[in-house]
Amino acid sequence: MLGKSINEMAIGDSAEFSKTVSETDIYLFAGIVGDFNPAHLNEAYARTTFFKTRIAHGMLSAGFVSSVIGMQLPGPGSVYVSQELRFLAPVRIGDTVTAHVEVAEINAEKNRVRLSTWCVNQDGVKILEGDAVVSPPRK
């Protein structure tokens, strides 16, 4: 199963993925990537920070964008070329994050697609935004 090829996409095509972030997700992510920053794992420490509680790793939310790209748009067979991110708001345990991807530019000659990427929480607050460049699968 392959995702959409360059000829199967149009500017404005979009897809999304939602996930409620659990404490377990944060601990598993920390273990996988090796980021044990106490802002993510230690509630006593986190209470002394600007956010007053533990927050999820920013890259966990960025991973939800990767899920959309790898599984939906363009989908399986796509190769990430680059991703620019700006982190705008924290993700707390229990927040539901929805990652959005939208086709912004198509370069058929180079088989590249520029995607606008962003995530919002359950209240519609944008938590990250950026742009990705991907090479969709060839069919």
Side-chain angles (χ1 to χ4, degrees):
M1 172 179 108
L2 290 178
K4 293 181 177 184
S5 70
I6 198 99
N7 297 322
E8 296 172 308
M9 287 182 282
I11 292 174
D13 286 355
S14 65
E16 64 182 40
F17 168 79
S18 295
K19 168 106 172 71
T20 300
V21 176
S22 70
E23 183 175 31
T24 300
D25 294 326
I26 293 170
Y27 276 98
L28 288 172
F29 188 84
I32 290 166
V33 302
D35 179 353
F36 299 100
N37 183 325
H40 308 304
L41 305 175
N42 183 314
E43 185 62 36
Y45 171 83
R47 278 190 225 119
T48 70
T49 69
F50 176 79
F51 300 112
K52 304 299 181 204
T53 190
R54 289 177 292 164
I55 58 171
H57 302 74
M59 294 308 290
L60 177 60
S61 297
F64 300 149
V65 170
S66 179
S67 175
V68 178
I69 291 170
M71 298 307 297
Q72 296 182 56
L73 186 65
S78 299
V79 175
Y80 246 119
V81 175
S82 66
Q83 174 78 59
E84 174 189 305
L85 294 170
R86 290 171 298 284
F87 297 98
L88 306 172
V91 173
R92 293 174 175 85
I93 295 169
D95 281 354
T96 299
V97 176
T98 301
H100 299 268
V101 169
E102 183 175 307
V103 176
E105 184 179 318
I106 298 172
N107 184 333
E109 184 178 304
K110 292 185 177 183
N111 194 47
R112 297 286 190 269
V113 179
R114 185 173 62 80
L115 303 165
S116 293
T117 62
W118 68 96
C119 293
V120 297
N121 68 15
Q122 67 280 354
D123 298 320
V125 174
K126 192 178 277 189
I127 60 169
L128 72 79
E129 65 183 5
D131 289 294
V133 175
V134 300
S135 179
R138 295 183 189 267
K139 292 187 178 176

